[in-house]
Amino acid sequence: MNKEPAAPNWDDFRLVRAIADARGLPGKAIRLYREALLLEPNDVDALAGQGQAMVDKGAVERARANLARVRTLCKGSCPQATTLAAAIAKGPPVTTAQVGVTTTTVKTSND
């Protein structure tokens, strides 16, 4: 017997994405969303979630492409587009490795 594949459980994908976020693994979240989108290419929640993960990874241009697709599917504005647009505007998170540490020695007259 051939069975239809089960519909993806978006709550599971959201949970895994939250776990990936908590562990600082946006690349894993992007991959999981890509798998979800193979099953349902026009899922606005998955597109927006993948876009957010792309921003977190620093792939802002790819996130913009997702935003354009979300807006097209929503036929204008929708909460997913608004949230993703805000994440893109904010940009990727700054990591410790990206922050330059500058040390300055100040001589005082007492030295």
Side-chain angles (χ1 to χ4, degrees):
M1 281 179 133
N2 287 339
K3 287 180 128 183
E4 288 289 319
N9 184 336
W10 299 125
D11 289 335
D12 288 347
F13 280 105
R14 287 183 192 102
L15 176 62
V16 171
R17 163 86 178 17
I19 292 168
D21 276 345
R23 293 186 178 177
L25 302 170
K28 185 161 190 83
I30 292 168
R31 184 179 57 80
L32 291 167
Y33 279 116
R34 182 175 48 243
E35 290 175 15
L37 289 165
L38 289 173
L39 298 172
E40 184 57 51
N42 294 326
D43 185 271
V44 175
D45 288 326
L47 283 164
Q50 184 185 50
Q52 175 65 55
M54 289 172 173
V55 171
D56 293 346
K57 184 78 173 170
V60 177
E61 288 306 314
R62 289 176 58 201
R64 284 191 181 109
N66 274 39
L67 176 59
R69 189 142 174 243
V70 168
R71 286 180 171 155
T72 298
L73 292 169
C74 288
K75 296 179 175 57
S77 185
C78 60
Q80 296 90 335
T82 303
T83 302
L84 181 53
I88 290 170
K90 184 178 176 184
V94 177
T95 62
T96 305
Q98 293 171 324
V99 177
V101 177
T102 305
T103 57
T104 306
T105 304
V106 178
K107 289 195 171 222
T108 62
S109 59
N110 295 339
D111 289 339

